[in-house]
Each structure stands twice: as structure tokens, then as C-alpha cells.
Amino acid sequence: TTIFRHGDFLPIYVFYFEIVNTFFHNLLMPNQIGPVIIKTFDQLNKAELYEIIQLRIAVFIIEQDCPYQDLDGDDDQCLHMWVEEEGEIASYLRINPAGCRFIEPSLGRIVTKTAYRNKGLAEIVINKAIEVLCADQPTAIRISAQSHLENYYEKFGFVKASDEYLEDNIPHIEMLRSL
């Protein structure tokens, strides 16, 4: 016979509690994420622009150890989109108009602050960007994705559209979301 002590079941109960607690918390608690903020370059105030640049540098240059020219001269042509959490920009992207980077409009500089990852914030901003681009009529959208994120972008309808190439010394692929 096997003797079970009271403590033997604790990990199972804790695991069960976490799943059930998280489910009901997400279901019943009001969403604390604000709306997707959408602004042209001219509509950005100094503090917003500074925070956007700070986030892009923190992730793309420092975290990914990739010295490159983030301020590429395209920001003034782009639509800037982000969500805030706890009063700060948590996830951001910019929409490059058709002809700016590719023939099609494109999503770029998709970034989420480390503290807010794995919460679905980038998905919210990406889906809103697709909605904005396709509001009048369906349109193809292109991205230059880091190669290891191919599967991630597939869930938004993007399909690999190029061989792998180096962009700022990081493997990338072009991905296209067709009409």
C-alpha cells in the first residue's frame, strides 16, 4: 500500500489553482490595457516620441546587441501605434506606407517592453494595424521579420516570401499577408 501525506498533493492543487484562478481572473476582471493609440508623426508629442525611441533602442540595440541606425528617416512618414500599461508604452509598431520600404504597406519596429511580454500586447497592436490598413479595402501587407519569429507572424496570416537574409547582422525573412 502507498501512504499519501497531506503535503503530497500540494503541487497538483497549486497548479490547478493557478490555471483556474488565471482563467477566472482574465474572464471576470476588467481589461487593464488601454486602447491602441494611433498617431501620425506630427501628432506625437515630445514625451511620446522620446519613449518610443527609448523602447526601440532598449530592445533592438541594447537587448539584441545590434548597433544600427534606428532613426532611419522614415518615422515622419509612418503611422505610430501602441498600447500602454501602467502609464508607459508597453508594445509599439509603426506602419510604413506603401512605397516607403516595400511596394506594399508594411509593419515595422514591432517591439514589446521586456516587462510586458507574453501578455498578448503585440498581438493587439498587430491586429489593430492590420484592421487599419484593411479598413477601406483588403490590402497586402509586407514585413521584414526576424527569422526565428516566422511561426509567430504566421498566425496573423503572413507567409514567408523570401529567402533568409541579414538585416543589421540578424537573420530576417520577408513575409507577406496577401489580400
Side-chain angles (χ1 to χ4, degrees), residues 107-120:
L107 308 183
R109 301 295 199 268
I110 302 168
V111 61
T112 301
K113 190 174 250 186
T114 307
Y116 299 109
R117 292 186 188 155
N118 301 311
K119 293 184 173 190

Side-chain angles (χ1 to χ4, degrees), residues 101-169:
R101 175 125 195 234
F102 300 108
I103 295 170
E104 306 87 358
S106 63
L107 308 183
R109 301 295 199 268
I110 302 168
V111 61
T112 301
K113 190 174 250 186
T114 307
Y116 299 109
R117 292 186 188 155
N118 301 311
K119 293 184 173 190
L121 300 179
E123 286 90 343
I124 292 168
V125 182
I126 292 168
N127 282 321
K128 185 64 173 182
I130 292 168
E131 179 186 316
V132 166
L133 285 169
C134 297
D136 295 330
Q137 65 180 2
T139 187
I141 304 167
R142 189 171 297 266
I143 60 174
S144 176
Q146 291 185 12
S147 298
H148 73 277
L149 295 172
E150 180 178 357
N151 292 337
Y152 175 78
Y153 290 116
E154 284 176 345
K155 68 183 173 183
F156 302 101
F158 289 95
V159 177
K160 184 177 178 179
S162 75
D163 291 330
E164 189 174 80
Y165 57 92
L166 288 179
E167 183 175 314
D168 300 313
N169 228 16

Side-chain angles (χ1 to χ4, degrees), residues 21-30:
N21 186 42
T22 301
F23 171 78
F24 283 107
H25 174 78
N26 291 341
L27 180 68
L28 301 174
M29 295 301 288

